[in-house]
Amino acid sequence: MKSFREHSEELQERVNEILMDSKLSVVVEGDHDILAYEIIFNEDECHFEQFCGKENAIMVMAEVNKIKPERAIAILDNDLDQLQGKRYPDNVFFCDAHDIDAQMFLSDTYYRVAREYYTKSNTSSKQKMSDIRTQIKEFSRPLSIMRVVSDELKLHFAFKASEKHPKAFPYKDLLKLNHHECVYLGDDNLVKVTCQYRNQGIKLDQNTITQKVKAIAQRGYDDSMLLHGHDLMNMMGQLVIRYGRAKATAVCSDELERSFRLAYANELHSCGLYQRLASYFGDESIRYLT
């Protein structure tokens, strides 16, 4: 990670603005975090500061904390930090799962969103919807493990499109999927598909990577900390082909994320993150939180 001074002077300017602002700054990673969290903050007393990624947000908080930590809090994705035992200051908060999308997916909001995309017959009971959610988690888990493999082996694999590489990760290639069935095609195929994406691992020993995937799967990581929200949303969108209307096509993850954010308001006010924020603010909670 680069030092704070190695980044542009803009970050220092942002730090100065936070320190001088009369409102509490809520530091987040990106625009979608603002859309997810703004409902729980009093806009008269708080405003959001978004940075392009977690690294910048953490560095800014470190600079603020050197001078006046009460001027800001941060809400960040867990990513793999909890699994790796990383520690952060008291004014840096994390969502209840790997990331906010995973937190929303694992909440009761899932049942409301599922009814919007899957047929009535497939959502006629909560148990049916729970079974589909279990399937989505089972399909997402190997790819989320693959992210851990990439981190531990320092492979720097990409799993989503970028401005330079606009092609989306081919989630559909991980499954045998049609209106009648959906089957995970196995870890060997997972590694092959991941390595072929952007040609990022075609020269690597894929068998070694597959064995690492299987070894990490045996660690028993909790779903909430392991499952990546982007994978969950994409798999849920892919399974519209199986559980949606007869000629339905896959739904993009961006659309599903919007649906979850709109439906998640009630759960957000009762989640663990909200309770931790309320505890941190104490008697001032009524000032900062809705």
Side-chain angles (χ1 to χ4, degrees):
M1 179 184 292
K2 293 181 180 179
S3 70
F4 184 78
R5 299 302 175 187
E6 290 177 300
H7 280 68
S8 69
E9 292 183 0
E10 180 188 355
L11 286 185
Q12 181 62 63
E13 293 175 4
R14 298 281 295 277
V15 169
N16 294 339
E17 291 171 357
I18 289 172
L19 292 171
M20 293 186 295
D21 203 309
S22 61
K23 293 185 178 183
L24 176 75
S25 293
V26 181
V27 172
V28 295
E29 297 179 40
D31 289 337
H32 287 176
D33 297 305
I34 297 175
L35 295 174
Y37 296 125
E38 62 185 355
I39 192 172
I40 64 173
F41 286 96
N42 179 359
E43 64 180 8
D44 294 329
E45 297 289 341
C46 310
H47 78 102
F48 283 87
E49 292 279 353
Q50 73 93 3
F51 294 86
C52 297
K54 189 173 187 176
E55 180 179 304
N56 287 343
I58 290 172
M59 286 193 297
V60 165
M61 287 300 296
E63 294 298 307
V64 170
N65 283 347
K66 290 176 183 178
I67 302 171
K68 206 170 185 180
E70 64 272 19
R71 294 313 314 140
I73 66 167
I75 303 178
L76 307 175
D77 288 343
N78 259 296
D79 298 319
L80 301 176
D81 289 357
Q82 184 165 318
L83 295 183
Q84 296 169 342
K86 293 183 179 179
R87 304 293 295 274
Y88 291 91
D90 291 343
N91 59 348
V92 176
F93 296 86
F94 293 89
C95 50
D96 297 348
H98 180 282
D99 49 66
I100 185 58
D101 292 331
Q103 178 173 326
M104 293 187 296
F105 176 86
L106 295 171
S107 76
D108 284 347
T109 298
Y110 161 80
Y111 297 107
R112 295 195 294 278
V113 175
R115 291 190 180 95
E116 296 290 336
Y117 293 96
Y118 302 146
T119 64
K120 186 175 181 179
S121 63
N122 286 312
T123 59
S124 59
S125 70
K126 193 171 185 178
Q127 184 58 55
K128 283 191 173 184
M129 287 186 285
S130 293
D131 291 343
I132 296 173
R133 179 159 67 174
T134 295
Q135 198 168 41
I136 293 169
K137 291 192 292 184
E138 289 174 348
F139 293 158
S140 300
R141 189 176 296 110
L143 188 56
S144 295
I145 290 172
M146 189 70 180
R147 294 173 183 272
V148 180
V149 171
S150 176
D151 182 74
E152 292 189 358
L153 297 183
K154 295 179 172 52
L155 300 176
H156 307 293
F157 281 161
F159 297 91
K160 64 179 180 180
S162 67
E163 185 175 340
K164 185 177 179 180
H165 300 279
K167 183 179 179 181
F169 187 88
Y171 284 85
K172 62 180 178 59
D173 292 346
L174 303 179
L175 309 172
K176 179 182 180 182
L177 177 64
N178 54 53
H179 190 60
H180 303 288
E181 63 177 344
C182 46
V183 178
Y184 173 61
L185 293 177
D187 293 341
D188 288 331
N189 178 68
L190 163 71
V191 173
K192 177 182 177 182
V193 170
T194 304
C195 288
Q196 288 178 341
Y197 182 57
R198 302 189 187 181
N199 292 325
Q200 62 189 348
I202 55 174
K203 296 182 179 180
L204 298 176
D205 181 349
Q206 295 185 17
N207 182 61
T208 298
I209 298 173
T210 300
Q211 294 308 308
K212 183 71 170 177
V213 169
K214 294 183 183 301
I216 291 176
Q218 297 301 312
R219 294 179 186 174
Y221 287 144
D222 185 82
D223 280 349
S224 65
M225 288 299 112
L226 174 66
L227 296 179
H228 195 291
H230 194 65
D231 299 338
L232 291 166
M233 294 295 173
N234 274 280
M235 285 300 183
M236 184 172 181
Q238 288 294 322
L239 263 61
V240 172
I241 295 172
R242 168 67 178 89
Y243 297 109
R245 295 183 300 275
K247 296 183 179 180
T249 57
V251 173
C252 71
S253 61
D254 287 347
E255 179 180 336
L256 279 167
E257 289 167 15
R258 285 193 295 270
S259 297
F260 271 94
R261 285 195 296 268
L262 290 170
Y264 190 59
N266 290 336
E267 279 81 3
L268 187 56
H269 279 90
S270 60
C271 73
L273 169 63
Y274 187 90
Q275 301 306 316
R276 293 191 295 276
L277 289 167
S279 178
Y280 174 80
F281 291 126
D283 293 339
E284 292 286 282
S285 292
I286 193 170
R287 175 182 174 188
Y288 295 117
L289 301 177
T290 61

